[in-house]
Amino acid sequence: MTPTPEFARPQRLDQIGAGETTVAIAATAAECAALARRFDLASIKGLSADITLRREAAGIVAKGRVRASVEQHCVATGDPVAAEIDEPFLVRFVPEPAATADEVELSGDEVDTIFYSGGTIDLGEAAAETMALALDPFPRCPAAAEILRSAGVVDEDAVVPGERTGGLAGLKDLLGKA
């Protein structure tokens, strides 16, 4: 059995008409705290989304905007780093394929696809995943550059292409001798 997502906002398919349906969702403080634990964030102070749904032959298309106010952990110090997320998204909800169905290949210009089963789609989980994908993978506080420099981490702007640096500097020469 799949656990219930922290920010579940099920939308019944039979309530989505032929035209566009607009939905606004927002996470409670408890849901924000649970999502912060799930995504290893210092905190989520708010998460909301405005979503427009419409039926298409290929499924339900959800288009909208996710907004969040979060604090991530600095990669160098662990200190909280504030970030504002304001991310557009576009996803297509399609029925879960049969177990014997072939793999689905998507090209780069395709809409992200989320599979569902039953009579509902989960807009909250789609918003939470969109927020998580928009996070900075290497958040840094103002003191991070100095701390990393003192630990011997070379700033990527200081690396000269073709120059041998660091612990792997002699690797090319060693491989050439083999």
Side-chain angles (χ1 to χ4, degrees), residues 12-19 53-57 59-61:
R12 289 181 28 186
L13 297 176
D14 63 0
Q15 292 180 341
I16 301 171
L53 303 168
R54 83 174 178 276
R55 289 184 178 276
E56 287 187 353
I60 305 294
V61 173

Side-chain angles (χ1 to χ4, degrees), residues 28 31 37 43 54 71 80-81 97 104 107 123 155 168 174:
T28 66
E31 290 166 332
R37 285 189 297 277
S43 69
R54 83 174 178 276
E71 286 186 330
V81 178
V104 176
S107 66
L123 301 177
D155 186 282
L168 300 177
L174 288 173

Side-chain angles (χ1 to χ4, degrees), residues 74-87:
C74 173
V75 296
T77 65
D79 293 340
V81 178
E84 295 297 319
I85 305 294
D86 187 354
E87 189 73 16

Side-chain angles (χ1 to χ4, degrees), residues 2-173:
T2 306
T4 302
E6 299 87 345
F7 179 38
R9 291 298 182 276
Q11 175 71 39
R12 289 181 28 186
L13 297 176
D14 63 0
Q15 292 180 341
I16 301 171
E20 291 187 341
T21 301
T22 302
V23 179
I25 59 174
T28 66
E31 290 166 332
C32 286
L35 286 168
R37 285 189 297 277
R38 174 177 162 192
F39 295 122
D40 194 27
L41 299 171
S43 69
I44 299 175
K45 296 179 183 194
L47 170 61
S48 64
D50 296 310
I51 304 163
T52 300
L53 303 168
R54 83 174 178 276
R55 289 184 178 276
E56 287 187 353
I60 305 294
V61 173
K63 180 178 181 179
R65 209 158 192 89
V66 172
R67 293 178 181 83
S69 180
V70 304
E71 286 186 330
Q72 297 180 260
H73 300 286
C74 173
V75 296
T77 65
D79 293 340
V81 178
E84 295 297 319
I85 305 294
D86 187 354
E87 189 73 16
F89 75 96
L90 178 64
V91 297
R92 179 177 290 122
F93 290 91
V94 297
E96 189 77 40
T100 59
D102 292 334
E103 221 175 273
V104 176
E105 292 289 330
L106 298 176
S107 66
D109 60 341
E110 288 287 333
V111 174
D112 288 336
T113 301
I114 299 175
F115 295 108
Y116 69 89
S117 60
T120 61
I121 56 176
D122 191 346
L123 301 177
E125 182 61 14
E129 290 176 5
T130 299
M131 177 207 65
L133 290 170
L135 294 170
D136 182 349
F138 303 105
R140 294 182 179 185
C141 70
E146 181 56 38
I147 290 168
L148 291 170
R149 191 174 17 265
S150 67
V153 176
V154 178
D155 186 282
E156 55 201 35
D157 295 333
V159 175
V160 178
E163 182 180 299
R164 296 181 189 157
T165 59
L168 300 177
L171 183 59
K172 183 175 180 183
D173 294 334

